[in-house]
Amino acid sequence: MSARASSAVSRRSTTKPSTATDPRVPRRFGLVGQEWRNQRNGILFISPWIIGFLVFSLGPMLASFYFSFTSYNVLKAPRWIGVQNYVNIFAHDPYLRTAVVNTLYLAVLGVSLGTLLSLVLAMLLNQRVKGIGIYRTLYYLPTMLPIVVSSFIFLLVLDPQFGVINNLLALFGIPGPGWLSSPDWSKPALIVLGLWGVGNSVVIYLAGLQDVPRHLMEAAEVDGAGWWRRLVHVTLPMLSPVIFFNVVLAIIAAFQNFVSIFFLTDGTGGPARSTVTWGLQIYTNAFVNGRMGYASAMSWIMFVIVLLVTLGLFRLGSHVVYYEGAEGNARRRR
């Protein structure tokens, strides 16, 4: 190429206007050219979710917030009563204490046992043995069943007279409890049902275990650390973000537990209201007693409680959860 041609190409390349300053390029919200098109296409792709969230989630949430300050039974127009619903819940609801105690019982004990069991199962399924894929599939299969089907199966398994568990206990001369027909054993029965569906957590823990750096385990083993020290000082710290994630989701699900309790007790919270929870009370007030405004107030109280518990867990997690890498450690120190 001649010197004249190369200089011409150089002049054209240096004088070409950039898209950031060229007035001919359309500008939208501070974005130009390809940036704007990418932004537009991204919004179009997620627009079905945005529309669904606005119509089916945010809209009903705002409506329930308004109804919580009204006397509303669906058949008549809502009548504004201010914070009276909230006052009645804390001052005059005869089942408030029972619902709170039962909900906390199922949440604390159920989440604790579920976390421990799923973590132990994940460690067992992380072993390199023949046919391990079959065992992993068997432990995950119960989670594929709808909760109604699982509840129906447990009605048969926990039957006081003909149930499988009580028949097995009878072989050893142990009288089986009444389970769902006994006020003392109804909540443990619900916890057993929850433990049966730990497959989702097991899969997540198993993925976290396989992501633990192998060189750390080998270094600890070379230093003479036994399996317990490797578990406490290597495996659990590296697995702490996964444990934190599962615990947060499990607590939120425990506070919202409704379907299994409704199915197993025919919506009564029996026997002797021993399985009445906050979620069941919301349903009873809204669709049985026709107090939709009162139920909306209960829903927002549950929302605030779950929000505060979740924020507290995140605050605690910043001190006990180990994030690998400089950025995570800096976050932990803060």
Side-chain angles (χ1 to χ4, degrees):
M1 180 183 295
S2 63
R4 180 179 299 177
S6 61
S7 61
V9 172
S10 177
R11 284 195 302 272
R12 285 197 300 269
S13 62
T14 55
T15 57
K16 182 179 179 179
S18 65
T19 57
T21 57
D22 190 354
R24 295 172 296 177
V25 178
R27 180 181 293 271
R28 300 289 189 277
F29 308 108
L31 303 176
V32 295
Q34 188 63 36
E35 293 179 349
W36 159 248
R37 287 190 291 271
N38 292 339
Q39 187 83 353
R40 178 199 60 193
N41 293 338
I43 294 175
L44 289 177
F45 273 113
I46 65 173
S47 59
W49 179 90
I50 295 176
I51 296 173
F53 173 76
L54 294 176
V55 175
F56 299 109
S57 295
L58 184 60
M61 285 180 62
L62 296 177
S64 69
F65 184 72
Y66 167 74
F67 292 145
S68 69
F69 297 99
T70 65
S71 175
Y72 180 47
N73 62 359
V74 180
L75 300 178
K76 298 181 181 179
R79 179 173 56 87
W80 184 267
I81 58 174
V83 297
Q84 190 60 44
N85 283 328
Y86 295 91
V87 173
N88 291 337
I89 290 173
F90 290 105
H92 306 295
D93 194 322
Y95 304 116
L96 174 67
R97 182 178 181 276
T98 302
V100 171
V101 171
N102 290 341
T103 302
L104 292 177
Y105 180 97
L106 295 174
V108 175
L109 191 58
V111 172
S112 301
L113 293 178
T115 301
L116 180 61
L117 177 62
S118 57
L119 189 56
V120 171
L121 290 176
M123 291 180 179
L124 293 176
L125 295 175
N126 195 39
Q127 305 301 315
R128 297 180 180 179
V129 298
K130 186 177 180 180
I132 191 64
I134 298 176
Y135 298 126
R136 293 173 179 174
T137 303
L138 291 177
Y139 278 104
Y140 183 74
L141 278 179
T143 63
M144 303 297 292
L145 294 176
I147 187 62
V148 174
V149 178
S150 301
S151 302
F152 178 76
I153 293 174
F154 264 76
L155 276 177
L156 303 178
V157 172
L158 299 176
D159 186 89
Q161 295 181 349
F162 309 105
V164 176
I165 295 182
N166 282 6
N167 286 335
L168 290 176
L169 293 176
L171 295 177
F172 300 94
I174 303 175
W179 296 113
L180 291 170
S181 61
S182 169
D184 296 328
W185 286 93
S186 56
K187 287 188 286 292
L190 294 175
I191 292 176
V192 172
L193 173 58
L195 296 180
W196 195 58
V198 297
N200 281 329
S201 299
V202 171
V203 171
I204 298 175
Y205 282 132
L206 184 59
L209 287 171
Q210 294 180 350
D211 198 40
V212 175
R214 184 62 187 170
H215 67 273
L216 295 180
M217 301 295 291
E218 294 174 350
E221 189 173 358
V222 169
D223 289 340
W227 72 270
W228 175 254
R229 288 187 176 274
R230 293 198 302 270
L231 173 66
V232 173
H233 297 289
V234 179
T235 303
L236 292 182
M238 299 302 298
L239 200 63
S240 57
V242 181
I243 298 175
F244 176 74
F245 172 79
N246 274 336
V247 168
V248 170
L249 292 186
I251 289 179
I252 294 175
F255 276 99
Q256 297 177 337
N257 188 12
F258 164 75
V259 177
S260 60
I261 299 175
F262 178 83
F263 184 84
L264 293 173
T265 65
D266 293 328
T268 62
R273 304 195 68 84
S274 60
T275 57
V276 170
T277 59
W278 198 268
L280 187 63
Q281 278 297 96
I282 292 175
Y283 170 84
T284 302
N285 282 288
F287 300 103
V288 177
N289 301 333
R291 305 172 67 187
M292 191 66 69
Y294 190 87
S296 298
M298 294 189 69
S299 299
W300 275 95
I301 292 174
M302 174 186 282
F303 172 80
V304 172
I305 293 175
V306 173
L307 179 62
L308 293 177
V309 171
T310 305
L311 292 177
L313 289 174
F314 273 95
R315 185 69 178 268
L316 177 64
S318 63
H319 299 285
V320 300
V321 177
Y322 173 80
Y323 295 95
E324 188 177 11
E327 181 181 355
N329 293 332
R331 189 188 305 115
R332 186 188 179 196
R333 285 194 297 270
R334 288 196 300 268

